[in-house]
Amino acid sequence: MRELRPIFIIVVLLVGITVFGPFLAPNDPTAIDIPNRLSAPSEVYPLGSDAMGRCILSRLLYGARWSLGLAFLVSTIGLIVGSLMGLLAAMGGRKIDWCIMRVTDIFLAFPDLVAAVVIVGVLGGGTNSLILALSVTSWTRYARVARGIGLGLSSRGYVIQARLVGLSAFSIARWHYMPTLTSSLVVVWTGMLARAILGISALGFLGFGVQPPTPEWGTMLLDARIHILSTPLQMIWPGMAVLLCVLTINITGDVLRDALAKKEIRP
Amino acid sequence: MKKLFEIFLRAAVVLAGTALVTFTLLWYAPGDPAATIAVARFDSTVSAEIVDKIRIEAGLDAGFWPAFRHWIGPILVGDLGNSSVSGTPIWPEMRTVIALTMPLAMLGMTIGLVISIPLAILAACNQGTWIDRGAIALASLGAAIPGFWLALLLILVFAVKLSWLPAMGTGTARHLILPGLTLGLGVAASLTRILRSALLEARNAPFLPAFIRRGVGVHERALAHITPHAAIPVLTVVGLELAFLLEGAVMVEVVFARPGIGNFLIQAIQARDFPKVQAVVLLTAVLFVVVNLLIDISYHLIDPRVGTQDA
Amino acid sequence: MLNVNNLTVQLGGREIISSISLSVAPGKTLAVLGESGAGKSTLVGAILGLLRASSGQISWAGKPIERGKAALVMQEPRSAFNPRLPLRRSVLEPLYAGKLPDDPARLERLCKGLEIDPNMLDRLPYQVSIGQAQRAGVLRALIASPPLILFDEPLSALDAVTQKHTAKLISTLQQEEGFAALIVTHDMGYAAAHADSIAVLRSGHIEEMATAENFFRSPQSQYGQDLLNAAVSLGAIERAVI
């Protein structure tokens, strides 16, 4: 697990920024300072200020709580709902399996972003509809992975033995399915976390995300877009923040997957 | 035959499901749907009688299932209904914007394929070397960039700094380059990874060691034997990228201010023109199901054993 | 007493087992002989209730077999154990499932009978030999005292010496415990040494049913004769009798 150490540090850093970011911020992220609007990086505003004179660094640090925290919440909801559905499909017999798989097909037929935009647009802005919009399609990926692995397990000798002696379905899932599923689901979870970050920022950029003046990276990009000619730097920072987070999480997922694959090959 | 029937049955169930989901979402939208239509069509001072008239006219007075039947009936015979704002038929307008999005999507897919196929072959043939790692790194970077931010960066470089290409609007082929590139780079990022794994998997297929023993050259092997095995995943990938292209069209059309199906959807949502929103969402889902149906059928034709149990 | 009456099993539209009837009394052993593909594993699956019978009845003492009343010893010893759990956890699983009290004395007695070192049970499945794993498999089947135990090719994964020894241990335990045993095998020597009666299965139906004594003296069916001749030429019977 030595190769995981640098990744571990980065993850701690990301979580740290999400939790403690606001304490590191030099300024109030919503404090308006019109005389110093669109200013270049300075001692007061380390990354400059936006069109309303708000500190960009502070907004980035506060924004992490929305961009990362919300993504964390959404991908975890998907994980729980999806793996339960997948287990049910794998263990519940052919008919239940067929029905659950068709439900996932139905939800997969709507591209994530299109579904999210429509849900937020129709139900109205606000955190609840944002959470619903982002989790409504994501659970299907977990369900498919859990079901695929689960079906493979259903024909294993020890699962058959457990059924033969009349072990309850809950106990079989707990002892014989979950331990094998967990590692793969965690890898899917990292991928979905990255997608959720991208999704939240995309919604923010389209104006369907976290409502202003709450700082969020996508919304900051929407604000910065108009000033692309005068202060292009203003648009670089939030994009970099999204890029770095997504890249880190994806690499973590890859390393995790390789490490787990190695572990599985060993008897 | 039995499997082909199962494939069609599945597609039919999924289509019905998508229609139901689409309708349900807008049925449970906050507020009185009849009042929403009335306000959208006239203004906020409409009388209760007009709202009631609209309620009956749109079949909204008899509950969920009658309203659903009222909505889906005309759609089944190809009539997507009228805009609740302007009252004009939706389909002619949609056909126009789809025609505007098509060249963008096709250019994006082409750029994606042109970049990803050589890159994936190069990576797979040099597995584990710096070429491979470089390709993976590029693909990872591409997958992590928010599409709209990439679009802004391209505008910044090619339109603002270099003034080579127009930043916004439509009209000439030059207007298409930056949006197409934005989409294409995104497609390339995901395709490179998938193609590379597919090629590696095909290379490890059991028949290959025999060729190696017979001394067939590395490059002949790559071309003659790996390529057909990669056909099935490629087919699937085109289906997978479809969702990406549709999402990308929304982003790119907004950033580059291009009229098209993406902008059409966003404007319909902002105007709370629910029939339009329903039409776009349903059409997207139908397109997705139909493409996947075609993929399933081709899988079945390529190899009838590949089939219905696993999926 | 296990009674199988006119059992027919279809899988994917194909009839794998056609109208089979057989019975096994407590304390007795029935060996089901046949080539691979004859439907032996399907028969086992149906008796255990893992596969649905298209028609026919399966009963123990006149009642359908409940979960936990019939145990299975599998062909691949290690596959019967969750690779992530120590053997003890799996061996005692029938007790958790049947809500039976943990009975250390019984476990100890069975371990002794199967020549299992109790410390071995704290290891993971891949940390013990195949022979040890198979004895743990028998232990697992026996722990909750089921009246019926099915053995699906229980010895084929073991080497010759271990085979003979394990067969003997099972036989001795059967005399003590009195369970009915249905052994699916293509090992004539094993059947000759330990079975009370023989059923010859061929492409889904029973070709011949006889006491072990009669079968090995003079099989009535041509197919039974062929199986026996093939085994004799391999020297299996001699090995078993010596």
Side-chain angles (χ1 to χ4, degrees):
Chain A
M1 285 287 144
R2 201 150 151 217
E3 65 271 45
L4 287 179
R5 204 173 293 159
I7 297 295
F8 181 72
I9 292 169
I10 297 169
V11 170
V12 167
L13 211 67
L14 280 181
V15 174
I17 289 172
T18 312
V19 178
F20 300 109
F23 300 110
L24 303 171
N27 295 298
D28 179 348
T30 52
I32 295 169
D33 179 9
I34 298 292
N36 290 314
R37 63 192 292 266
L38 298 173
S39 68
S42 64
E43 258 174 52
V44 188
Y45 302 126
L47 295 179
S49 64
D50 71 3
M52 293 168 105
R54 296 174 297 196
C55 172
I56 290 180
L57 179 63
S58 304
R59 289 181 71 72
L60 278 181
L61 287 169
Y62 272 89
R65 191 163 274 193
W66 286 101
S67 301
L68 301 181
L70 208 55
F72 190 86
L73 182 67
V74 162
S75 47
T76 307
I77 292 174
L79 173 71
I80 294 167
V81 175
S83 36
L84 286 179
M85 293 294 263
L87 267 178
L88 193 61
M91 296 176 70
R94 289 180 69 105
K95 277 179 197 153
I96 293 178
D97 181 28
W98 197 89
C99 293
I100 291 179
M101 280 306 104
R102 295 302 73 80
V103 175
T104 66
D105 281 345
I106 291 167
F107 282 95
L108 280 170
F110 302 102
D112 294 2
L113 185 67
V114 172
V117 165
V118 170
I119 290 172
V120 176
V122 168
L123 299 185
T127 316
N128 285 344
S129 55
L130 203 56
I131 291 170
L132 176 71
L134 290 161
S135 16
V136 84
T137 48
S138 78
W139 68 272
T140 55
R141 269 102 181 165
Y142 298 100
R144 299 205 144 213
V145 171
R147 178 226 179 223
I149 299 171
L151 281 184
L153 290 176
S154 296
S155 58
R156 294 282 172 88
Y158 54 90
V159 174
I160 292 172
Q161 289 284 6
R163 282 171 57 198
L164 277 181
V165 300
L167 198 65
S168 70
F170 178 80
S171 297
I172 294 179
R174 159 79 185 77
W175 287 102
H176 300 307
Y177 284 82
M178 281 322 286
T180 312
L181 281 173
T182 308
S183 51
S184 302
L185 287 175
V186 167
V187 173
V188 179
W189 181 79
T190 58
M192 297 309 289
L193 185 63
R195 285 178 74 122
I197 293 174
L198 284 172
I200 291 166
S201 67
L203 282 176
F205 183 75
L206 289 171
F208 293 102
V210 179
Q211 295 305 304
T214 313
E216 188 275 327
W217 298 342
T219 324
M220 288 174 72
L221 277 164
L222 176 61
D223 296 338
R225 182 188 160 199
I226 325 159
H227 306 285
I228 190 168
L229 288 174
S230 52
T231 48
L233 262 185
Q234 200 196 329
M235 172 209 104
I236 300 293
W237 303 119
M240 284 297 274
V242 176
L243 172 64
L244 285 179
C245 287
V246 173
L247 200 58
T248 311
I249 291 164
N250 278 341
I251 293 172
T252 311
D254 289 350
V255 174
L256 214 57
R257 190 190 53 211
D258 293 349
L260 291 168
K262 248 183 240 162
K263 208 175 135 208
E264 288 297 315
I265 290 166
R266 226 178 49 206
Chain B
M1 254 352 259
K2 207 180 152 196
K3 265 185 189 158
L4 220 50
F5 172 74
E6 156 76 18
I7 289 171
F8 276 104
L9 174 70
R10 209 200 279 176
V13 169
V14 174
L15 275 180
T18 52
L20 198 59
V21 168
T22 308
F23 182 78
T24 307
L25 174 68
L26 291 136
W27 177 259
Y28 286 109
D32 175 4
T36 311
I37 294 172
V39 172
R41 197 178 296 171
F42 309 105
D43 54 52
S44 51
T45 59
V46 282
S47 65
E49 291 90 77
I50 294 179
V51 173
D52 284 339
K53 217 179 125 200
I54 287 171
R55 197 191 315 280
I56 293 163
E57 174 197 304
L60 295 168
D61 54 330
F64 183 86
W65 289 108
F68 179 66
R69 274 200 299 274
H70 190 272
W71 173 72
I72 197 79
I75 289 175
L76 288 178
V77 295
D79 175 13
L80 285 176
N82 299 332
S83 157
S84 65
V85 177
S86 63
T88 52
I90 293 170
W91 176 238
E93 204 180 333
M94 247 175 106
R95 206 172 41 196
T96 322
V97 291
I98 289 172
L100 290 169
T101 301
M102 277 305 277
L104 176 65
M106 269 150 61
L107 181 65
M109 198 70 207
T110 312
I111 293 176
L113 287 170
V114 165
I115 296 175
S116 62
I117 291 176
L119 204 57
I121 292 177
L122 213 60
C125 289
N126 299 288
Q127 192 190 359
T129 66
W130 64 268
I131 300 177
D132 188 26
R133 260 173 267 145
I136 294 174
L138 271 181
S140 307
L141 193 68
I145 293 185
F148 56 93
W149 191 58
L150 178 63
L152 291 177
L153 290 182
L154 289 174
I155 291 176
L156 188 63
V157 174
F158 292 102
V160 177
K161 297 282 176 207
L162 299 171
S163 301
W164 286 355
L165 293 161
M168 314 234 155
T170 117
T172 68
R174 284 159 51 83
H175 283 98
L176 203 58
I177 296 177
L178 286 184
L181 203 59
T182 311
L183 265 187
L185 289 175
V187 172
S190 75
L191 271 188
T192 304
R193 290 201 130 202
I194 299 170
L195 280 179
R196 177 185 167 272
S197 331
L199 288 169
L200 288 178
E201 210 168 286
R203 202 178 66 175
N204 298 332
F207 60 83
L208 273 172
F211 286 102
I212 295 168
R213 279 197 296 277
R214 269 193 252 154
V216 181
V218 176
H219 295 287
E220 288 164 63
R221 278 208 307 275
L223 289 178
H225 298 287
I226 294 175
T227 322
H229 256 233
I232 288 189
V234 169
L235 210 57
T236 314
V237 153
V238 172
L240 287 175
E241 294 303 322
L242 188 70
F244 182 87
L245 286 173
L246 283 162
E247 292 181 353
V250 175
M251 281 320 330
V252 162
E253 284 172 4
V254 168
V255 179
F256 290 97
R258 288 179 61 84
I261 191 75
N263 247 330
F264 182 81
L265 173 68
I266 299 291
Q267 281 160 12
I269 292 172
Q270 281 161 349
R272 297 192 79 71
D273 192 341
F274 288 173
K276 266 191 192 174
V277 176
Q278 282 172 321
V280 176
V281 172
L282 189 63
L283 216 68
T284 308
V286 168
L287 181 65
F288 199 80
V289 174
V290 168
V291 168
N292 277 293
L293 176 67
L294 291 179
I295 290 170
D296 278 349
I297 293 172
S298 7
Y299 265 73
H300 182 77
L301 296 180
I302 291 173
D303 184 355
R305 284 168 305 167
V306 183
T308 48
Q309 310 89 315
D310 54 326
Chain C
M1 174 136 164
L2 171 72
N3 269 308
V4 174
N5 193 10
N6 276 322
L7 176 71
T8 300
V9 180
Q10 289 179 337
L11 287 178
R14 229 157 52 86
E15 197 165 289
I16 308 292
I17 283 189
S18 345
S19 200
I20 282 185
S21 299
L22 52 82
S23 61
V24 193
K28 296 293 179 191
T29 299
L30 170 71
V32 177
L33 300 175
E35 299 166 323
S36 31
K40 293 178 293 183
S41 298
T42 309
L43 177 65
V44 169
I47 293 174
L48 290 170
L50 296 170
L51 302 171
R52 192 174 303 163
S54 319
S55 64
Q57 297 85 38
I58 300 164
S59 62
W60 179 266
K63 286 181 287 189
I65 300 175
E66 293 165 35
R67 278 285 143 90
K69 294 295 176 202
L72 171 68
V73 176
M74 295 176 149
Q75 181 172 9
E76 289 300 329
R78 280 176 184 150
S79 78
F81 295 100
N82 187 329
R84 292 164 195 271
L85 298 175
L87 289 169
R88 185 185 300 277
R89 171 71 186 61
S90 298
V91 163
L92 295 179
E93 191 167 69
L95 300 183
Y96 304 142
K99 313 262 187 310
L100 299 173
D102 198 350
D103 183 351
R106 177 172 172 77
L107 181 66
E108 202 180 320
R109 201 169 63 242
L110 289 173
C111 278
K112 213 165 177 187
L114 286 163
E115 297 176 4
I116 293 171
D117 172 6
N119 292 326
M120 187 200 87
L121 293 178
D122 294 320
R123 296 197 204 142
L124 295 171
Y126 62 84
Q127 291 171 327
V128 302
S129 74
I130 292 194
Q132 285 173 320
Q134 191 58 308
R135 275 179 278 142
V138 177
L139 175 62
R140 181 196 168 116
L142 278 165
I143 191 78
S145 322
L148 171 67
I149 301 183
L150 287 87
F151 296 82
D152 186 2
E153 303 274 9
L155 305 178
S156 61
L158 313 179
D159 65 70
V161 178
T162 323
Q163 273 184 355
K164 222 165 148 181
H165 187 59
T166 309
K168 208 166 232 162
L169 292 177
I170 294 173
S171 176
T172 315
L173 271 170
Q174 189 181 13
Q175 279 160 23
E176 289 169 17
E177 298 275 326
F179 56 83
L182 188 148
I183 299 176
V184 159
T185 183
H186 60 263
D187 182 344
M188 286 287 166
Y190 180 29
H194 297 288
D196 299 298
S197 47
I198 302 290
V200 177
L201 197 66
R202 186 192 189 187
S203 50
H205 62 271
I206 288 183
E207 192 85 2
E208 179 173 359
M209 178 90 92
T211 63
E213 206 182 334
N214 286 340
F215 177 78
F216 286 106
R217 196 182 302 137
S218 58
Q220 297 302 300
S221 66
Q222 184 56 46
Y223 184 64
Q225 183 70 56
D226 291 348
L227 279 180
L228 204 55
N229 287 344
V232 169
S233 66
L234 290 169
I237 305 255
E238 281 87 333
R239 247 197 2 244
V241 172
I242 297 160

